[in-house]
Amino acid sequence: MDLGTLCQQALRDYVRFIRLAPRPADADKKNVTLWLALLLIQDTQADRARAAMESSLAQQRTSVQRQAKAAGASMAPWTPPTASAPRESQFDESQSVMFKPLCDPVPQPELADMIDSAANKNGVNPSIVREVARQESGFRPCVVSPAGAQGLMQLMPATQDQFKVIDPFNPMASLDAGTKLLKQLLDRYHGDLSLALSAYNAGAGTVDKAGGIPQIPETQNYVANILGRLNQ
């Protein structure tokens, strides 16, 4: 049981005690002092938790910046598209067999819930899942690539078989399988996001053979774009 929980329990027990016990004339003053002491302990515990979280986020941000720089990503903040450029991702529709996609992007409120669900289930940062989906399909669940990758997370047939995906065009099924693959790749490369992203794009065998990010322009741009957006 953590300190915050212990303090809350102590407060409840103390309130119950002072309601039942007879009190001398100076009891109210002592009660106030004890209440303030307990609340101070709770505030200190909360401050420590916030400090630890900020430190963790700072470390993650530094790691992403380092990997983005190594991958050749621009460190300038990513600028969302304007009304004159309606696409909301780096996905190039000309690279799909469907030059005019037959479906719209998944609505953002629904998409956010699905991404959070898949990410939490598989232990992957939701921001990584979101940016991979953005890069792969522009959040459109109907996209098919010339290489045969399908759906929101652009799953190849072998990946669909591996994770027993029945309908690759189902957004939730695609997100779940794609996030599982990301988790496997992050574990394989000991948390190195640039290598995991390279393997998602070009295949783990290609990354292993290259000993790092492959000298493939498409893969290098893929990694740089995603890490650049995560760094903003």
Side-chain angles (χ1 to χ4, degrees):
M1 185 179 297
D2 59 35
L3 183 57
T5 303
L6 287 172
C7 288
Q8 292 174 358
Q9 181 176 331
L11 281 173
R12 288 195 296 269
D13 292 342
Y14 181 71
V15 169
R16 189 180 303 111
F17 169 75
I18 62 175
R19 284 178 177 174
L20 298 177
R23 294 178 295 173
D26 63 344
D28 289 339
K29 183 177 180 180
K30 293 180 179 179
N31 290 341
V32 170
T33 301
L34 182 56
W35 273 78
L36 289 174
L38 290 172
L39 289 174
L40 180 61
I41 292 173
Q42 285 185 295
D43 288 342
T44 301
Q45 180 73 5
D47 289 341
R48 289 176 179 173
R50 282 193 293 269
M53 181 175 295
E54 289 173 359
S55 176
S56 175
L57 289 174
Q59 291 176 359
Q60 293 182 41
R61 190 176 299 112
T62 300
S63 176
V64 169
Q65 289 173 342
R66 184 170 57 252
Q67 294 186 47
K69 185 176 180 180
S74 170
M75 303 308 288
W78 177 69
T79 304
T82 61
S84 61
R87 284 206 305 268
E88 59 180 317
S89 74
Q90 299 296 318
F91 170 68
D92 185 354
E93 292 171 4
S94 67
Q95 298 302 311
S96 169
V97 293
M98 295 179 293
F99 298 102
K100 294 183 178 179
L102 301 178
C103 62
D104 294 325
V106 178
Q108 284 301 320
E110 180 183 354
L111 178 68
D113 288 343
M114 290 192 292
I115 288 175
D116 286 344
S117 176
N120 292 334
K121 177 181 176 182
N122 295 291
V124 178
N125 188 313
S127 296
I128 296 174
V129 179
R130 171 176 288 274
E131 294 311 323
V132 169
R134 188 194 304 273
Q135 188 75 27
E136 290 288 348
S137 66
F139 304 132
R140 293 181 173 92
C142 63
V143 172
V144 179
S145 78
Q150 299 174 318
L152 197 70
M153 295 291 278
Q154 288 291 275
L155 306 176
M156 293 295 288
T159 304
Q160 297 174 31
D161 291 342
Q162 178 184 357
F163 296 113
K164 298 179 173 55
V165 177
I166 297 175
D167 180 5
F169 300 109
N170 179 294
M172 188 67 247
S174 184
L175 279 167
D176 187 50
T179 305
K180 287 179 180 177
L181 178 57
L182 281 170
K183 174 62 174 174
Q184 283 190 356
L185 295 172
L186 285 167
D187 290 344
R188 180 184 184 120
Y189 297 110
H190 308 290
D192 189 316
L193 182 55
S194 62
L195 294 184
L197 292 173
S198 297
Y200 195 98
N201 176 259
T206 302
V207 173
D208 293 344
K209 184 177 180 179
I213 300 175
Q215 297 299 309
I216 303 173
E218 177 192 340
T219 301
Q220 292 175 332
N221 290 334
Y222 179 92
V223 173
N225 286 338
I226 293 176
L227 292 182
R229 292 197 299 271
L230 288 172
N231 182 60
Q232 64 175 327

